[in-house]
Amino acid sequence: MLHSRRQLLRMGGAAASLAFVSRCASRVAPATAAASRPMRRLARVDVAPERVIRRVVGLRPFRPSGFVVRTEPLGDKLLVHDYGHGGAGVTLSWGTAELAADLVRESGRGAASAAVIGCGAVGLAAARVLQERGLAVTIYARELPPGTTSMVAGAMWYPSFVFDRGHKTPEFTAQFERAQRAAHRRFQTLVGDDYAVRWREIYILSNDPENNGMGDYGLPELYPARRALDASESPFASPRAVVESTMFIEPPTYLRALMRDFHLAGGRIVVREFASPGAILELAEPVVVNCTGLGARELFGDRDFLPMKGQLAVLLPQPDVAYALESGNYYMFPRSDGIVLGGTYERGVETLDVDPDADARILAGHRAIFGAMRT
């Protein structure tokens, strides 16, 4: 059975890319009955099957105990792990990069160079932060964009599927909050066409008039202008609509821009696969940051992974759609390269094959939502 990201949070599911952090109900401004507001005029998404331009599948590197940022000795090298972000690889990338770079500094090694393993959003952010701290950095990776999982992420700024609530510890919570704040600050500096990072409103719909769609933890200050819509101003059929503002990232443009910045800062990229930790000892760099995502399961024997399959259908671009939406199992993100429609969260499923039944559900669900809109 499929559930929305916020439903999973309430049920004790993970904390959403193809992925999203819960919010405090006290931060939602109540709808005002004293004065009706005019209905918001939003363009309806055209969910015709013939408008689908691609279908993509990605595997979220989900760990029930949450992402890993810690050091480990490896021969004479300092090994820093930065992996296992679940559905929040793009979202948390700059935050965990800062945490990893702090561990390098705190080691006291005074290293002049570092290696980063992995060239997705997490690896590129780690490489850039290390460069900014004065290190010469080489990225070693088996796959480069557009062949990385980050390329198929929906990439809304919302830490989703980060951990299972039953595994939460005070130590991890503190680390998680630090990563969120640092990443949010960094993404704000990247807003604009160059990195394809944009603020947008997202409408969160529910059939429960009292449901704010939030769990019991989160950083509500990172989601400005959040409030429940008055019934008069909502164009949606759902009894409940909450609006907030957050950032959206377009991976094709964003990842190209990070690779450009990395090269301009003197970085180099080597295509290479490591069969074992011992092979890493061959590298010249004294510091190694592991950003291999799901690859850490085999490379470093981390068996806490529970891959989570996500499938998207992408429609032709629709420039008049300038808002995002989440309703139950479904979500819609507008981008310049297409309208992203999602809604699958299959825990423990590792196939990258497109599921025709899931595709039909995604399209039918979104047709129902937008077909019932008032315009």
Side-chain angles (χ1 to χ4, degrees):
M1 179 178 180
L2 298 176
H3 299 283
S4 74
R5 295 161 291 205
R6 291 170 176 83
Q7 286 173 320
L8 284 167
L9 286 167
R10 293 197 300 277
M11 295 168 58
S17 123
L18 281 163
F20 299 80
V21 76
S22 56
R23 296 93 188 247
C24 262
S26 61
R27 298 286 296 192
V28 181
T32 318
S36 293
R37 301 172 187 258
M39 188 184 77
R40 294 192 171 207
R41 300 290 179 178
L42 302 174
R44 181 184 285 126
V45 176
D46 184 355
V47 194
E50 60 270 20
R51 290 179 57 81
V52 176
I53 55 176
R54 62 184 179 275
R55 295 169 174 87
V56 295
V57 174
L59 298 179
R60 303 173 179 95
F62 173 66
R63 301 176 75 255
S65 58
F67 60 80
V68 175
V69 180
R70 61 176 174 80
T71 61
E72 177 182 322
L74 181 65
D76 61 349
K77 298 188 184 301
L78 174 68
L79 175 63
V80 181
H81 291 297
D82 179 7
Y83 69 84
H85 295 66
V90 176
T91 295
L92 294 177
S93 56
W94 291 103
T96 58
E98 292 285 350
L99 297 178
D102 287 347
L103 292 177
V104 173
R105 182 190 61 216
E106 292 163 9
S107 73
R109 288 198 169 214
S113 64
V116 171
I117 306 177
C119 197
V122 175
L124 285 165
R128 289 292 296 124
V129 171
L130 290 171
Q131 285 180 323
E132 292 166 357
R133 297 194 183 191
L135 279 71
V137 181
T138 299
I139 292 176
Y140 298 89
R142 180 182 62 188
E143 301 286 349
L144 307 180
T148 61
T149 300
S150 303
M151 184 62 75
V152 299
M156 168 184 171
W157 199 97
Y158 187 109
S160 61
F161 303 110
V162 177
F163 61 93
D164 277 339
R165 184 175 296 148
H167 291 77
K168 185 173 73 168
T169 65
E171 295 77 15
F172 180 80
T173 299
Q175 178 176 262
F176 183 34
E177 291 183 356
R178 284 180 60 199
Q180 288 180 67
R181 289 191 173 95
H184 198 269
R185 286 195 300 272
R186 183 61 176 246
F187 272 110
Q188 288 188 55
T189 70
L190 303 178
V191 170
D193 291 341
D194 190 22
Y195 295 91
V197 179
R198 297 177 179 87
W199 284 98
R200 292 195 190 278
E201 287 188 328
I202 180 169
Y203 294 86
I204 304 155
L205 310 184
S206 171
N207 290 327
D208 180 357
E210 302 301 321
N211 178 21
N212 288 323
M214 295 171 291
D216 59 1
Y217 63 91
L219 298 175
E221 67 269 23
L222 302 185
Y223 305 90
R226 189 173 214 281
R227 70 179 183 86
L229 293 185
D230 185 76
S232 64
E233 61 180 322
S234 174
F236 303 105
S238 299
R240 181 72 162 177
V242 173
V243 65
E244 67 188 23
S245 295
T246 192
M247 289 174 283
F248 289 80
I249 302 99
E250 298 190 14
T253 300
Y254 172 72
L255 294 174
R256 284 197 301 269
L258 292 193
M259 292 183 72
R260 174 204 65 201
D261 293 351
F262 176 71
H263 284 300
L264 288 174
R268 71 186 184 106
I269 295 176
V270 176
V271 176
R272 177 173 176 177
E273 183 173 5
F274 297 92
S276 68
I280 297 173
L281 293 173
E282 301 171 5
L283 300 179
E285 294 83 3
V287 171
V288 179
V289 182
N290 166 37
C291 301
T292 54
L294 190 57
R297 179 176 55 179
E298 303 304 325
L299 183 57
F300 293 100
D302 187 335
R303 296 299 167 184
D304 194 30
F305 277 106
L306 186 64
M308 187 178 296
K309 179 182 178 182
Q311 183 168 311
L312 303 173
V314 184
L315 304 173
L316 282 166
Q318 197 172 332
D320 57 340
V321 176
Y323 65 95
L325 178 141
E326 181 182 325
S327 178
N329 301 324
Y330 306 109
Y331 56 89
M332 180 279 295
F333 304 159
R335 300 194 329 205
S336 63
D337 64 336
I339 300 284
V340 174
L341 305 180
T344 68
Y345 318 96
E346 299 181 74
R347 291 168 69 106
V349 177
E350 295 198 42
T351 175
L352 289 172
D353 296 335
V354 172
D355 181 346
D357 292 336
D359 182 67
R361 287 195 301 272
I362 290 170
L363 295 179
H366 285 89
R367 276 198 300 272
I369 293 166
F370 295 109
M373 274 182 66
R374 297 181 292 163
T375 58

